[in-house]
Amino acid sequence: MKLSITIHRARLGAVEFKVIRPAHPLVHAVLVDHDRHLDAYLDEDAARRIGGLWTLAASSPRSLIHLPMRGNQAPSLELPENGTRRLDLVLLHHSLQFAPARWKEVRRRLGPGRPKTVTLPDSGRTTDAVIDHEARRYRENRDLFHQHLHAETLFMTGSANVFGETARHFHDVARNGPGYVPVHPSYPHFCAELHSNDGILGNAREIHIEYCDQWDS
C-alpha cells in the first residue's frame, strides 16, 4: 500500500517535533465523543488511509501522526444527541512522552509540510508474530492504548505492537463495508471495534468504527 503524507516540523525551545499528516484531507471521516465511548464514521477511502496511518504509527516512534477531521461534515445518518463533539486524532508512541498540553503550540507552528510517499506492508497480509494474550493481563505490560483529550484532539498513545495489531480493524471496514451495506438494506451497518475485552485498552475508551457510504457533502 502506498500512502501520501506530508512531514512537518515545529520547534518549541530546544525541542523539535516531527508531525506527519495525510497529504490529502480525510473528507469523509468523523470522530465523535460519546462520553463513555468514541465513534469513528468513515467511508472506504478514509478507513483505508487511516489504517495505513495506524500502521505507520507502529514504525514511527519519534513522530506525532495528526489526522485533522473535527471540522468535517457528518455522515447522512442521524447521530445520537450526545454525539455533537467532534475530535481530531493524534497517534503517538508511548516512548515519545509527549505532553498533550503542548499540542496547541505545536499545531500553531506547523507549516505546509514536505510531501512524501511511503510504502506500507500489504494490509491483507497476516503477521507471523505470536500475540501473547495472557501477557496482556499483567500490570507491567505496555502493549496497551492510553488516551488523553486536549484542544479538541484525542491522543492515542501506544506501542508499536498494539498499533500494528489493530490497524486491521480499519482495513476490514474499508475492504468489507462497501460490499456489505448495499445488500443489507434492512440493517446497513458494518463496523469493527477496539473493544475493552480485547485486552488492548489501558486508560482508554472503546472506539466503534463504522462504515458510512452516505455523507452530507
Side-chain angles (χ1 to χ4, degrees):
M1 175 185 176
K2 292 188 181 297
L3 184 68
S4 297
I5 59 173
T6 52
I7 299 175
H8 311 251
R9 297 188 183 275
R11 179 172 293 278
L12 295 186
V15 182
E16 183 178 71
F17 297 96
K18 178 181 176 182
V19 178
I20 296 173
R21 284 173 166 167
H24 308 289
L26 296 164
V27 177
H28 293 154
V30 175
L31 179 63
V32 179
D33 187 346
H34 286 305
D35 189 23
R36 293 189 179 183
H37 71 283
L38 300 134
D39 271 347
Y41 301 97
L42 311 172
D43 73 353
E44 179 183 0
D45 175 70
R48 178 181 55 80
R49 288 199 285 146
I50 291 176
L53 291 162
W54 215 267
T55 299
L56 187 61
S59 59
S60 306
R62 307 309 302 166
S63 301
L64 299 161
I65 298 184
H66 178 214
L67 286 68
M69 60 178 78
R70 62 192 166 101
N72 289 351
Q73 292 293 321
S76 298
L77 58 84
E78 185 176 351
L79 299 182
E81 289 184 4
N82 65 341
T84 57
R85 186 184 187 191
R86 300 178 196 170
L87 304 171
D88 284 347
L89 179 62
V90 168
L91 314 176
L92 65 155
H93 195 273
H94 58 71
S95 64
L96 194 57
Q97 297 185 327
F98 178 78
R102 309 191 77 180
W103 174 241
K104 287 183 73 173
E105 187 64 24
V106 170
R107 186 173 60 191
R108 188 160 45 239
R109 292 169 182 257
L110 297 178
R114 175 173 58 87
K116 182 177 181 180
T117 299
V118 296
T119 300
L120 301 171
D122 182 359
S123 62
R125 187 176 63 190
T126 57
T127 179
D128 294 329
V130 176
I131 302 171
D132 186 352
H133 293 282
E134 286 300 315
R136 294 201 181 282
R137 300 179 183 274
Y138 294 106
R139 184 180 297 273
E140 63 270 20
N141 176 64
R142 303 186 73 176
D143 290 337
L144 299 172
F145 280 122
H146 299 282
Q147 296 171 351
H148 296 86
L149 271 177
H150 186 76
E152 300 302 309
T153 303
L154 175 72
F155 293 84
M156 288 286 292
T157 304
S159 67
N161 285 342
V162 76
F163 276 116
E165 289 173 22
T166 53
R168 61 184 171 83
H169 293 299
F170 296 92
H171 292 302
D172 183 36
V173 169
R175 191 161 40 238
N176 297 310
Y180 180 92
V181 168
V183 298
H184 294 84
S186 61
Y187 190 66
H189 182 102
F190 188 91
C191 66
E193 196 163 25
L194 303 182
H195 197 278
S196 57
N197 291 339
D198 295 338
I200 57 170
L201 301 181
N203 181 20
R205 291 176 287 169
E206 295 177 344
I207 301 181
H208 177 260
I209 307 159
E210 182 175 346
Y211 170 75
C212 297
D213 62 350
Q214 300 294 321
W215 293 77
D216 292 337
S217 64

